[in-house]
């Protein structure tokens, strides 16, 4: 009801391209900012803050993958590999060179962007399922190289302990401090993506996604923009891997295996392809769903099974419920949570006049 456009006119190109063209949108953003900056850290226990921290990290990675898959139409099944490149780059720079996070974080993103551009070279000749197989091969190759190169990972099955980042001489330790640290980068990634997709580069990405031959005819260099999309997506993935490493305090290849790539694909599909809001909603959904299903199964299973039986049953039932809920959700709303949210907004825009 409050979201009304009447009386608001766009008389300039700048007004038409503004991130928040309606006055109420600016107030809404300010209110949401107060909730996340003031209310949540004061009201929530550190356990719940730790869950929100995982969501913030996932948002960065989901935004990057959506730039590639949702906006450019290039299928990738190797997102976790680029996360591992960023994570190990930052871990080695932090541990062996003693560099601060404001150097290691962009360095990890830049190295992942470089590797992503190399892996994206096959996209110049192939697309669709063939490109998915090529990126899957990239995932397996990068994973094997990192795990079997002592100079990078310390050897097979090895891990690198990474100290928590320091800011102005103080080490970030608690979940509350990590919350503000991760929130800054999540907001930065959201604003950067919003500006990217409404720029000339973003419009070129969408043109390639809709019809690459037509895009080439109107003068878009599809080879250049495809590689740029892979590099941009991989940069986000590298930053996501660095944040994840700093959050856990350790870099291990098991954190970035093929299952993680599938999780991020599920995020953008469930949230909505080609949507910044969809990336955020999908990251929240996929991150919280396993936790919520565990709580439900523990509460329901305690009445029928012993603790020893629950330890064996819950992991398998969680996977079954996770897959079943995803299938049911996609059957109900194939275009994702973003479409569902838009339907709700459209309903209230004309409420109570249904016509």
């Amino acid at each position: 009801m409050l979201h009304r456009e009447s009386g608001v006119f766009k008389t300039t190109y700048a007004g038409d391209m503004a991130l928040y063209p309606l006055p109420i949108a600016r107030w809404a953003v300010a209110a949401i900012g107060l909730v996340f900056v003031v209310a949540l850290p004061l009201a929530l226990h550190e356990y719940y803050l730790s869950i929100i921290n995982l969501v913030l990290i996932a948002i960065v990675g989901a935004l990057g993958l959506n730039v590639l898959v949702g906006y450019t139409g290039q299928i990738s099944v190797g997102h976790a590999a680029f996360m591992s490149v960023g994570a190990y780059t930052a871990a080695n720079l932090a541990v062996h060179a003693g560099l601060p996070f404001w150097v290691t974080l962009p360095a990890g993103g830049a190295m992942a962007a470089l590797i992503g551009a190399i892996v994206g070279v096959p996209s110049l000749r192939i697309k669709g399922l063939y490109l998915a197989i090529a990126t899957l091969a990239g995932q397996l190759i990068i994973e094997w190289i990192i795990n079997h190169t002592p100079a990078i990972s310390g050897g097979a099955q090895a891990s690198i302990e990474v100290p928590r980042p320091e800011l102005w001489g103080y080490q970030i330790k608690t979940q509350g401090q990590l919350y503000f640290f991760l929130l800054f980068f999540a907001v930065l990634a959201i604003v950067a993506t919003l500006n990217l997709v409404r720029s000339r580069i973003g419009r070129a990405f969408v043109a390639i996604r809709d019809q690459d031959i037509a895009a080439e005819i109107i003068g878009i260099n599809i080879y250049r923009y495809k590689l740029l999309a892979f590099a941009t997506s991989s940069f986000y993935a590298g930053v996501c891997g660095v944040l994840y490493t700093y959050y856990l305090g350790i870099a291990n290849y098991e954190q970035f295996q093929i299952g993680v790539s599938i999780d991020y694909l599920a995020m953008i599909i469930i949230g909505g392809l080609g949507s910044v809001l969809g990336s955020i909603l999908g990251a929240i959904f996929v991150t919280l769903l396993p936790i919520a299903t565990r709580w439900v199964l523990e509460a329901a299973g305690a009445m029928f099974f012993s603790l020893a039986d629950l330890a064996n049953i819950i992991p398998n039932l969680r996977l079954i419920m996770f897959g079943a809920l995803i299938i049911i959700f996609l059957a109900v709303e194939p275009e994702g949570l973003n479409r569902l949210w838009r339907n709700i907004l459209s309903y209230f825009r004309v409420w109570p006049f249904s016509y």
Side-chain angles (χ1 to χ4, degrees):
M1 292 175 60
L2 297 176
H3 189 71
R4 300 295 191 197
E5 306 96 65
S6 59
V8 178
F9 302 100
K10 303 169 186 176
T11 57
T12 63
Y13 287 112
D16 189 48
M17 292 290 293
L19 275 179
Y20 308 110
L22 301 180
I24 192 173
R26 304 187 190 102
W27 289 104
V29 170
I32 293 172
L34 286 176
V35 169
F36 277 92
V37 174
V38 178
L40 286 182
L42 294 177
L44 295 181
H45 187 268
E46 284 213 341
Y47 171 72
Y48 298 104
L49 282 179
S50 68
I51 296 175
I52 296 177
N53 289 339
L54 292 174
V55 172
L56 294 175
I57 296 172
I59 286 173
V60 177
L63 286 170
L65 187 59
N66 218 342
V67 167
L68 180 64
V69 180
Y71 285 100
T72 317
Q74 306 301 299
I75 301 176
S76 174
V77 196
H79 203 60
F82 307 128
M83 291 172 59
S84 68
V85 170
Y88 277 100
T89 300
N92 282 284
L93 291 176
V95 173
H96 301 304
L99 295 177
F101 78 90
W102 50 267
V103 175
T104 62
L105 193 143
M111 180 59 71
L114 176 63
I115 302 300
I118 296 173
V119 174
V121 169
S123 69
L124 308 181
R125 297 293 301 272
I126 59 177
K127 56 185 177 180
L129 293 176
Y130 299 99
L131 180 58
I133 296 300
T135 55
L136 175 61
Q139 163 80 36
L140 300 176
I141 291 170
I142 293 172
E143 187 178 312
W144 187 91
I145 290 175
I146 289 178
N147 190 36
H148 291 83
T149 305
I152 299 176
S153 61
Q157 309 296 327
S159 302
I160 301 177
E161 293 187 8
V162 182
R164 289 283 171 78
E166 292 186 1
L167 188 62
W168 296 312
Y170 295 96
Q171 191 175 42
I172 300 174
K173 295 181 179 179
T174 66
Q175 292 296 331
Q177 294 169 343
L178 283 168
Y179 169 78
F180 287 108
F181 176 76
L182 297 172
L183 179 64
F184 171 79
F185 290 104
V187 172
L188 186 63
I190 291 171
V191 174
T193 308
L194 286 171
N195 283 284
L196 173 66
V197 299
R198 67 196 186 100
S199 67
R200 178 172 59 87
I201 297 174
R203 292 194 296 271
F205 287 166
V206 173
I208 294 172
R209 177 196 67 189
D210 292 342
Q211 182 54 260
D212 55 353
I213 297 177
E216 188 174 18
I217 291 173
I218 64 175
I220 295 175
N221 188 333
I222 60 173
Y223 301 139
R224 173 189 172 190
Y225 282 104
K226 281 183 179 181
L227 291 182
L228 182 59
F230 268 96
T232 303
S233 173
S234 301
F235 180 85
Y236 277 78
V239 171
C240 177
V242 175
L243 294 176
Y244 198 62
T245 297
Y246 275 127
Y247 175 75
L248 296 177
I250 190 172
N252 188 291
Y253 89 101
E254 292 182 355
Q255 302 164 354
F256 309 107
Q257 292 183 313
I258 183 65
V260 178
S261 295
I262 302 301
D263 286 342
Y264 277 92
L265 274 175
M267 288 179 193
I268 63 173
I269 293 173
I270 291 173
L273 293 173
S275 167
V276 173
L277 179 60
S279 302
I280 299 171
L281 295 177
I284 295 172
F285 184 88
V286 174
T287 303
L288 295 185
L289 183 59
I291 299 173
T293 53
R294 177 173 60 84
W295 289 346
V296 172
L297 290 172
E298 286 179 350
M303 297 184 294
F304 304 102
F305 302 100
S306 64
L307 292 177
D309 293 333
L310 281 176
N312 296 323
I313 294 173
I314 285 180
N316 297 321
L317 288 179
R318 280 177 60 194
L319 291 175
I320 295 172
M321 286 187 62
F322 184 68
L325 286 173
I326 289 175
I327 293 172
I328 292 171
F329 179 80
L330 291 179
V332 173
E333 183 49 77
E335 296 186 28
L337 288 169
N338 176 61
R339 179 68 180 188
L340 185 62
W341 174 246
R342 286 167 55 193
N343 291 340
I344 294 172
L345 286 182
S346 297
Y347 173 81
F348 281 104
R349 282 182 63 207
V350 297
W351 184 87
F353 306 105
S354 58
Y355 52 86

